[in-house]
Amino acid sequence: MKEVNKFFSGIVWLLFGVCFASAQGQPWVAPQGWSAKKNPIPSSNASIKAGKNTYRTLCIACHGETGKGNGSLSLNFNPHPADHTSKKFQQQKDGEIFYKITTGRNAMPPFSIALSENERWNVINYIRTLAVLDKPIPSKKTNVVVAVTPSVTSTSTQQKNISNDTSSANKTKLAVKALDTMVVHKDSIAATKKIQQINIDTLSKNTVAKDTFPVSLPVIASSDSMNPNYQSEDSKEERRKVLLTGSANIDMNIDGKKFNSAGFAVGFLPLIVWQPSKNLLFESHFHISAGSGSPQSNTSSGSMGGMIMRTSNSPSPLHGGMSSTTTSTSSASSATTSASIMLAYADLVYFINPYVTLTGGMFLSPFGLYPERMHAPWMNRLPDAPAGMGSEQVLPETELGMQARGGIPIWKIKAVYALYFSNGPSLVDDTSKSAGKLSYDNLTDNNKNKALGGRVGFLPIPNNSSLEIGFFAQRARVGKDETPHAGVQAMLYGADIMYHQYFRFLKGVIDFKGQHCKVSADKVYYKANPMLILNVPAEDVNLNDSTYRFNNVTELYFVMISYRPTASEHFLKNTEYIFRYDYLKEPVFSRWNNSGSRFTMGIEYWLDSRSAFKLAYQVGVPENIFFKNQNLLMFQWVIGF
């Protein structure tokens, strides 16, 4: 087994080089032939309206309402969503954009199932208008006729006075320019909007060139907007806007050997996002779940208990979340039923500039891949979490503190960073079986010191985000003040890799993720029953006070690769095939040692871009002789919204 573990540990680092060598340093370019594909849907007002409705439903959360790539969820993705208003994006052909919407890449899901071909073309017609929303239509092309109302005449003198008033010139400059020195009274706005709509419809019907797209007329402001303290109803409504997203899932886990026991769980993971201003964002994530099961139905990363109150993709209360849980156990059947309502994280985000963003509160830890990029069931391609993560995690999944993060362009490549200080983990130093373990339930810090940590990621391929290599670490004092373990230090560190690329010869997409990390705490003495530590070396046992010590180092890693034949014309394009190997090595003489490796093979069928059925079979090979091999058949139905 040691040789096997060394082999797979080497695979993680070998694939760093393999993925880098096989990647092509090119931007996201549609395959040959797609640029010639024409949009069969005319750019009419009806098409643009339909595309806008679809865009507001599926796209604004990432790309923003104006298409600038600054949606409320854009911070969660690397790379950030595309700016649809940019010249570089708009220079693409319709067929190229259609290909990207259809197949997706990285955090952008494929919309081939969620949207029909006509719906995708309508979205493209709408996207074309985003680059020119603020540009007036030339009069020679639009033949715009402006109806002059009495209110316009009555305000013309006022307009001249405002234009000559140097104290308000800067405040009225943009409005005056947009209206061509004419301010329309608010009572005529409704009539003017009708005229605008008629002209847009006329322009759509009389479009001469295929590449000509109808655009919006200049913004017509009321005289109230000349007041610097004036706030339109639209702007007020924008600041009150709240987004509800997240996912829901149903899990079933069956004994993979005898198939004689099963456990069920259901989870609802709502994410509430509120953006009170342009630069300020609040997000809060809850985990609501209930389940029942037997020891064979456990999906955690090695625990021998039954399926507990969380699904395997949900962070456990140990990671820092606040929860309310009820649990009952039947001694006759060893079955466990439980329910939980947990605050997973809640934080405030302030966007300073494109390179620096501040986050405060309880936020997802940038420590490795799982917390930010895999913990949500619709993002993880398998029904359970890698070993050492999820419900039995040995790594931090949330932090309570402050964080600065952003991206730094370095010539043609890019580096991303996340630096934080937080309460950090705490050392379990009681007489329980968990003595010496790190707990991440540290809402009230157990000492006066703070943990310092962060992650630096490199996207080494110029103008391409298909490959990212990251390095992360955290240093913390974990012992409780005014105890014998007050000075105990812990060091956590590791590396990860992500690679996502379409290969023409495979006619599909390969997605690869790997991570290797260690958790090391100072070697100190803990209370223990001498009868339970008979195998501990004599130099590490103190019989005078019934204490012992051990080399407190935990190592874990995983390798996961998936393939999806996106170029297939049949239902196979909606299937994804996944393989994962994970390994957890806990301290040999710790009472909580649950070391072992697992092989998991699965298949996922995508119902649409965020919803899927998952079926996986897992073989567990524990290193501890007291544990038997654990095989599981796992099923999950997840719906992202």
Side-chain angles (χ1 to χ4, degrees):
M1 178 56 64
K2 290 184 178 180
E3 288 74 12
V4 173
N5 292 332
K6 289 180 180 179
F7 172 74
F8 279 99
S9 179
I11 285 181
V12 177
W13 298 102
L14 176 62
L15 285 174
F16 271 74
V18 173
C19 291
F20 181 83
S22 61
Q24 299 177 0
Q26 298 294 331
W28 189 10
V29 178
Q32 187 176 4
W34 283 91
S35 60
K37 191 176 182 64
K38 303 297 182 181
N39 189 339
I41 307 297
S43 183
S44 64
N45 182 63
S47 172
I48 293 174
K49 183 177 180 181
K52 181 178 181 179
N53 291 336
T54 302
Y55 194 93
R56 293 180 64 86
T57 301
L58 298 177
C59 307
I60 63 171
C62 297
H63 293 279
E65 189 161 0
T66 59
K68 291 186 176 295
N70 58 351
S72 56
L73 297 182
S74 61
L75 187 64
N76 295 327
F77 300 116
N78 177 38
H80 289 301
D83 181 356
H84 291 159
T85 68
S86 68
K87 182 179 179 181
K88 181 179 179 180
F89 184 90
Q90 292 288 335
Q91 285 176 340
Q92 298 179 95
K93 300 295 184 181
D94 285 1
E96 295 174 308
I97 301 176
F98 182 84
Y99 166 80
K100 295 179 180 181
I101 294 175
T102 301
T103 62
R105 192 180 74 159
N106 295 336
M108 178 173 173
F111 286 98
S112 55
I113 299 301
L115 300 175
S116 66
E117 288 195 10
N118 286 349
E119 288 175 323
R120 281 172 267 165
W121 288 120
N122 287 335
V123 169
I124 293 173
N125 284 338
Y126 171 69
I127 288 177
R128 291 299 188 187
T129 69
L130 296 178
V132 288
L133 277 176
D134 296 328
K135 296 181 181 180
I137 299 178
S139 57
K140 63 179 181 180
K141 292 185 178 180
T142 58
N143 298 320
V144 177
V145 178
V146 178
V148 179
T149 63
S151 60
V152 174
T153 305
S154 64
T155 58
S156 60
T157 303
Q158 180 186 3
Q159 162 61 30
K160 294 180 181 179
N161 293 335
I162 292 176
S163 300
N164 293 330
D165 184 359
T166 56
S167 63
S168 61
N170 291 332
K171 300 174 184 177
T172 61
K173 184 177 180 180
L174 292 177
V176 172
K177 182 178 180 180
L179 294 171
D180 195 20
T181 69
M182 178 178 66
V183 177
V184 180
H185 190 269
K186 63 180 180 180
D187 294 337
S188 65
I189 289 180
T192 308
K193 285 184 176 179
K194 292 182 180 179
I195 297 173
Q196 291 178 336
Q197 190 62 55
I198 293 173
N199 282 280
I200 290 176
D201 293 338
T202 303
L203 178 63
S204 301
K205 295 178 181 178
N206 297 312
T207 301
V208 178
K210 186 175 180 59
D211 293 333
T212 303
F213 298 91
V215 296
S216 299
L217 291 174
V219 177
I220 297 183
S222 69
S223 57
D224 290 341
S225 64
M226 298 302 113
N227 183 346
N229 297 320
Y230 170 77
Q231 296 180 353
S232 68
E233 287 301 317
D234 289 340
S235 63
K236 292 178 181 178
E237 184 65 26
E238 183 69 23
R239 284 189 287 275
R240 290 194 294 264
K241 194 166 292 183
V242 176
L243 172 68
L244 174 64
T245 183
S247 63
N249 59 284
I250 299 174
D251 294 275
M252 179 177 67
N253 302 278
I254 304 172
D255 178 1
K257 287 185 175 180
K258 298 181 180 179
F259 300 95
N260 61 352
S261 61
F264 293 88
V266 60
F268 175 48
L269 286 71
L271 171 62
I272 303 171
V273 181
W274 174 43
Q275 191 167 10
S277 66
K278 181 179 179 181
N279 295 333
L280 187 62
L281 180 74
F282 172 78
E283 56 181 353
S284 181
H285 195 26
F286 293 87
H287 290 179
I288 305 171
S289 54
S292 64
S294 61
Q296 288 79 13
S297 66
N298 171 61
T299 58
S300 67
S301 57
S303 170
M304 294 302 293
M307 177 177 288
I308 50 181
M309 72 292 298
R310 297 161 304 281
T311 63
S312 59
N313 284 298
S314 307
S316 84
L318 287 178
H319 82 139
M322 295 181 291
S323 65
S324 174
T325 306
T326 58
T327 305
S328 62
T329 303
S330 170
S331 58
S333 61
S334 299
T336 299
T337 61
S338 53
S340 174
I341 300 177
M342 181 176 68
L343 174 63
Y345 62 87
D347 56 67
L348 283 171
V349 182
Y350 185 72
F351 303 93
I352 298 179
N353 56 50
Y355 309 106
V356 182
T357 300
L358 291 181
T359 304
M362 185 189 299
F363 52 88
L364 288 175
S365 176
F367 196 89
L369 301 180
Y370 181 77
E372 291 186 328
R373 314 192 193 196
M374 292 178 62
H375 96 277
W378 67 271
M379 298 174 68
N380 189 0
R381 287 169 165 78
L382 288 172
D384 71 334
M389 306 172 200
S391 59
E392 285 289 330
Q393 103 293 352
V394 298
L395 301 176
E397 293 181 3
T398 61
E399 306 288 349
L400 182 58
M402 295 289 295
Q403 175 183 237
R405 65 186 305 156
I408 303 173
I410 305 175
W411 190 49
K412 292 185 179 181
I413 66 175
K414 184 180 179 181
V416 292
Y417 70 90
L419 305 174
Y420 62 89
F421 67 92
S422 65
N423 284 352
S426 60
L427 181 72
V428 179
D429 58 359
D430 54 25
T431 59
S432 69
K433 184 179 178 180
S434 299
K437 198 171 186 178
L438 294 184
S439 169
Y440 300 95
D441 185 12
N442 202 10
L443 296 177
T444 302
D445 204 352
N446 65 336
N447 56 55
K448 298 177 181 179
N449 294 73
K450 297 300 175 185
L452 298 178
R455 179 183 182 274
V456 178
F458 299 94
L459 289 77
I461 306 176
N463 304 316
N464 192 310
S465 58
S466 61
L467 174 66
E468 182 177 347
I469 300 173
F471 302 91
F472 48 89
Q474 182 183 114
R475 180 76 176 183
R477 184 160 71 85
V478 297
K480 185 177 181 180
D481 283 342
E482 300 177 356
T483 68
H485 298 98
V488 175
Q489 299 277 343
M491 182 69 185
L492 300 78
Y493 58 94
D496 59 51
I497 181 173
M498 293 176 291
Y499 180 62
H500 185 96
Q501 183 70 34
Y502 174 84
F503 289 91
R504 188 175 302 173
F505 72 94
L506 293 175
K507 296 184 178 180
V509 174
I510 294 292
D511 185 272
F512 171 78
K513 291 181 175 66
Q515 179 174 309
H516 183 275
C517 48
K518 286 189 176 183
V519 178
S520 176
D522 292 343
K523 188 175 182 179
V524 295
Y525 284 91
Y526 303 97
K527 287 282 187 180
N529 186 336
M531 298 301 295
L532 299 177
I533 54 174
L534 294 178
N535 296 325
V536 177
E539 63 269 19
D540 290 331
V541 178
N542 189 340
L543 296 177
N544 295 327
D545 58 1
S546 297
T547 60
Y548 85 113
R549 62 182 181 178
F550 54 87
N551 189 26
N552 197 349
V553 178
T554 298
E555 179 182 9
L556 64 157
Y557 59 82
F558 75 88
V559 176
M560 184 170 72
I561 187 169
S562 66
Y563 166 69
R564 182 176 179 183
T566 55
S568 173
E569 296 296 332
H570 306 288
F571 76 95
L572 291 176
K573 66 182 178 181
N574 301 325
T575 61
E576 191 163 5
Y577 309 93
I578 309 102
F579 170 81
R580 185 186 69 202
Y581 174 81
D582 50 24
Y583 175 68
L584 174 64
K585 177 66 174 179
E586 295 187 303
V588 176
F589 296 110
S590 66
R591 297 179 61 196
W592 37 274
N593 176 22
N594 197 15
S595 302
S597 59
R598 302 185 306 183
F599 299 85
T600 309
M601 295 167 288
I603 184 171
E604 184 172 21
Y605 185 82
W606 291 92
L607 302 175
D608 56 37
S609 61
R610 293 169 63 94
S611 303
F613 288 111
K614 305 176 189 178
L615 182 66
Y617 190 83
Q618 183 175 100
V619 178
V621 185
E623 291 186 355
N624 194 317
I625 60 175
F626 298 105
F627 297 142
K628 296 180 180 180
N629 290 3
Q630 184 181 28
N631 295 0
L632 286 175
L633 178 63
M634 300 177 289
F635 170 81
Q636 184 180 71
W637 179 14
V638 59
I639 300 176
F641 57 92

